[in-house]
Amino acid sequence: MTAAKPGRSRLSGRLAEARTSAAGARLPALTVELAALAALLLAAVGDSRLWALAPAVVAVGLLARTWRAGPVVAGSSVVARVLLLACAYLLGAVRGLDPTLAVGVAVASLAVLIEPLVAAMYEAVYPVAANLPGLGSQPERSPNPGRVALVNGAAVLVALVCAFTDLSGGIALAVAAVALGFTGFTALQGLRAFRARRGQERKLLAALTAYEPAFVVHWNAPAGTAYQLAMWLPYLERLGRKFFVLVRNQTNFDEVVALTKVPVVMRMGLNQLDDVIAPSLRAAFYVNTATVNNHVIRYTNLKHIQLNHGDSDKVPSHNPVFRIYDKNFVAGQAAIDRFAANGVSMPAEMFTIVGRPQVENVEIATGPIASIANPRVLYAPTWAGFYADSNYSSLLAGYDIVKALVARGCSVVFRPHPYSKRSVELTRECERIRTLLADDRRTNGRPHVFGAEAEVAMTVADCFNASDAMVSDVSSVVADYLYSEKPFVMVAVSTPAAQFAEAFPLARAAYVIDAHGGRVQGLDAALDDLLGSDPLAATRRDLKKYYLGDIPADRYAQRFLDEAGRYL
């Protein structure tokens, strides 16, 4: 495997992507407007229409590029299009002004100038709630600045063509009239939707008060992170008490509505939250440590309980921010000791051990792995993290690991972390692994599972149950897999293998592959132990209680339900 520095290469890729995105966003504000201004000036001082042709073509080309980048970005080019319309007017005057062209330019300019109103409506019209009795249907987000920009852009282009050629200005007027009508109609749609949203907001607190929820779940996260909430929703619903999910942006709203039939409320601003604190509320649950959680924590009449979305030895799992919650529900004693071991002082009463109810249906190993002729191994790498100190992903070494498993006759279940697709580099490695598995399945008939089948159709627990062993990273997946008592490998990425168990205590139950610094070492030895004599079987059984709680299997999820119910 080619040596690489994962943290540095990943950061370089992100910086390059950020620079490209930023450059695209600045384009309409500078380059397009300068080209349009140049066309206008040349039309004003030149004695030939050809002088203004080149910069006008450049401006139109750059506008087309911004429209490909996204409708909202395209909608910001109002000044450039007004300048181009002024250029069309001057060019029409040079050849003897066609009155219909002049009127067409004026109508098109009016349509373009209305665009900021449409954009403002687009931002002001958003859902208030879904599935909440007494509130009616959510207002549709009718205004579409992208479509308006495209229609008005067509009007600008036709006006320019008429000015540079001998085409009748009546064509420009007709297209401009259509553009103005469409823009005005869209603005009226936005106004109607805006009024509907305001009407729902006025009734929101009354509707929530009548609904009488016992608790709220506050969730704010980047797009594609719905698994954080999804893993808890079935158990929150099993509490048998009314509740609603509070989100803070449109993306999260759409994701939650697709997950549940319980009420979902969206409030974006801090000053909008008073409308959701119904008198019946007793507690607020959280499944991550988003900064905006503190917007709800300020309501001292509620009990604030952090559930988190997994338990692992990662740096974020002992973040001092957990101190702000009244209670932290943790899987086992390991989570409590982790804070103290990393210098984060927290009183014992801030913790409650509830296990990980999500593993209640994970099957326990029935025999030694050495007795299985062709074992199936789950490869479940984590992602690269937001920061260098939380980069635990083994995906840069993943191809070599999977290739070695296939060479030993194993079938593989490949389920990377959903966030892996955020990195171009990690996405490429995922595709290499999927291609390897597809080729081997076609050639040798091994029943590998990957792609949508493993990542969408199957749950994490399904993947656990479909495997006899696992290879993963520093991740909550490892702690959950411990429940199965099946053997697993952990890949040391951020720390050399010699110090790995000290930094990440769960590794005491794992066979370790060293991928620190980009070099893969100890792969064969780890796989020999994983698939052979499995000398750590007893260690795993001991650590299972430490990490996942000493809770009877037949009442495992009930522990969470009992503890949560105490606060409702």
Side-chain angles (χ1 to χ4, degrees):
M1 178 180 175
T2 305
K5 295 184 177 180
R8 183 175 298 176
S9 60
R10 185 179 72 259
L11 179 60
S12 300
R14 288 180 178 176
L15 288 174
E17 292 173 8
R19 285 194 293 268
T20 301
S21 176
R26 289 194 299 269
L27 191 61
L30 181 62
T31 315
V32 186
E33 291 172 5
L34 287 175
L37 180 61
L40 175 62
L41 293 176
L42 289 173
V45 302
D47 56 0
S48 170
R49 285 177 288 175
L50 294 178
W51 285 102
L53 179 61
V57 169
V58 169
V60 170
L62 292 174
L63 280 171
R65 182 178 174 185
T66 65
W67 282 321
R68 288 185 62 188
V72 176
V73 174
S76 68
S77 56
V78 171
V79 174
R81 283 174 289 158
V82 170
L83 291 173
L84 288 173
L85 287 169
C87 174
Y89 176 83
L90 289 178
L91 291 173
V94 168
R95 64 172 184 166
L97 187 63
D98 182 345
T100 55
L101 176 61
V103 176
V105 167
V107 172
S109 297
L110 181 59
V112 170
L113 290 172
I114 295 175
E115 270 188 41
L117 174 62
V118 176
M121 288 291 182
Y122 181 82
E123 294 300 323
V125 177
Y126 49 80
V128 174
N131 308 327
L132 180 61
L135 203 62
S137 60
Q138 54 176 299
E140 294 182 3
R141 204 174 187 184
S142 301
N144 192 319
R147 292 176 185 172
V148 170
L150 284 173
V151 172
N152 290 343
V156 173
L157 180 61
V158 171
L160 283 170
V161 170
C162 290
F164 277 106
T165 66
D166 293 326
L167 286 176
S168 169
I171 299 175
L173 176 58
V175 175
V178 171
L180 179 61
F182 181 75
T183 303
F185 175 73
T186 306
L188 289 174
Q189 278 187 309
L191 180 60
R192 186 170 63 249
F194 173 75
R195 294 178 63 184
R197 190 214 88 196
R198 293 297 297 272
Q200 285 195 341
E201 286 181 325
R202 286 191 292 268
K203 297 186 292 183
L204 178 58
L205 182 56
L208 282 171
T209 299
Y211 176 64
E212 295 185 315
F215 64 93
V216 58
V217 183
H218 181 257
W219 183 59
N220 184 79
T225 326
Y227 68 90
Q228 295 180 352
L229 180 65
M231 69 173 63
W232 283 108
L233 281 173
Y235 301 96
L236 295 170
E237 291 169 0
R238 279 166 61 176
L239 287 170
R241 303 294 296 273
K242 291 181 180 180
F243 72 98
F244 67 96
V245 180
L246 172 63
V247 297
R248 311 300 296 282
N249 59 72
Q250 173 84 52
T251 300
N252 287 167
F253 180 88
D254 294 338
E255 290 175 325
V256 180
V257 169
L259 288 175
T260 182
K261 296 299 182 182
V262 304
V264 184
V265 176
M266 186 173 99
R267 299 281 79 195
M268 291 190 289
L270 174 63
N271 61 344
Q272 296 179 325
L273 296 184
D274 287 349
D275 292 338
V276 303
I277 307 301
S280 58
L281 284 176
R282 295 291 176 266
F285 291 97
Y286 309 84
V287 299
N288 63 20
T289 55
T291 303
V292 294
N293 285 355
N294 62 41
H295 291 180
V296 179
I297 289 174
R298 68 194 177 97
Y299 292 98
T300 57
N301 58 313
L302 305 181
K303 184 69 72 171
H304 300 278
I305 303 170
Q306 174 63 251
L307 303 177
N308 215 348
H309 53 274
D311 180 83
S312 76
D313 291 324
K314 289 183 176 182
V315 169
S317 292
H318 54 78
N319 191 324
V321 75
F322 285 94
R323 291 171 173 155
I324 68 176
Y325 303 95
D326 296 315
K327 279 287 183 180
N328 288 278
F329 280 12
V330 295
Q333 186 63 38
I336 300 174
D337 294 344
R338 188 181 297 124
F339 285 92
N342 288 278
V344 182
S345 177
M346 295 178 66
E349 57 268 23
M350 295 187 75
F351 297 102
T352 298
I353 293 176
V354 298
R356 280 277 291 162
Q358 291 81 5
V359 303
E360 65 174 334
N361 295 317
V362 172
E363 298 169 0
I364 310 298
T366 56
I369 191 169
S371 65
I372 302 173
N374 295 294
R376 175 176 277 177
V377 180
L378 168 63
Y379 178 44
T382 190
W383 68 299
F386 286 114
Y387 308 106
D389 68 351
S390 57
N391 172 26
Y392 305 110
S393 179
S394 65
L395 267 171
L396 295 181
Y399 184 88
D400 290 346
I401 294 171
V402 174
K403 186 176 180 181
L405 289 169
V406 171
R408 289 170 178 258
C410 299
S411 58
V412 175
V413 179
F414 177 48
R415 184 188 174 98
H417 191 287
Y419 270 19
S420 299
K421 66 185 66 174
R422 292 187 164 208
S423 163
V424 173
E425 191 173 32
L426 297 189
T427 299
R428 182 171 59 248
E429 292 304 311
C430 287
E431 285 305 312
R432 288 183 69 207
I433 293 171
R434 293 186 189 107
T435 300
L436 168 65
L437 295 176
D439 290 344
D440 185 71
R441 184 168 63 183
R442 185 168 50 251
T443 303
N444 298 310
R446 292 190 183 94
H448 303 302
V449 183
F450 55 90
E453 184 179 359
E455 299 172 40
V456 179
M458 298 173 68
T459 66
V460 175
D462 291 336
C463 291
F464 289 174
N465 294 339
S467 67
D468 304 300
M470 182 179 73
V471 177
S472 190
D473 308 326
V474 179
S475 166
S476 62
V477 168
V478 178
D480 287 353
Y481 198 77
L482 189 62
Y483 190 82
S484 73
E485 300 179 12
K486 298 173 183 177
F488 56 87
V489 164
M490 292 180 69
V491 185
V493 175
S494 61
T495 305
Q499 291 88 46
F500 193 60
E502 181 181 354
F504 308 104
L506 184 53
R508 290 176 291 164
Y511 307 107
V512 178
I513 296 172
D514 193 340
H516 181 66
R519 296 177 58 195
V520 179
Q521 302 179 73
L523 174 58
D524 288 332
L527 295 185
D528 286 342
D529 288 335
L530 176 77
L531 304 173
S533 60
D534 187 19
L536 293 176
T539 304
R540 287 195 304 276
R541 287 191 290 270
D542 291 339
L543 286 182
K544 175 180 175 178
K545 294 180 180 179
Y546 180 57
Y547 274 86
L548 297 172
D550 187 5
I551 306 170
D554 60 342
R555 290 182 54 81
Y556 194 78
Q558 190 62 40
R559 172 68 66 87
F560 164 74
L561 301 177
D562 291 343
E563 293 296 335
R566 292 176 54 195
Y567 300 98
L568 304 182

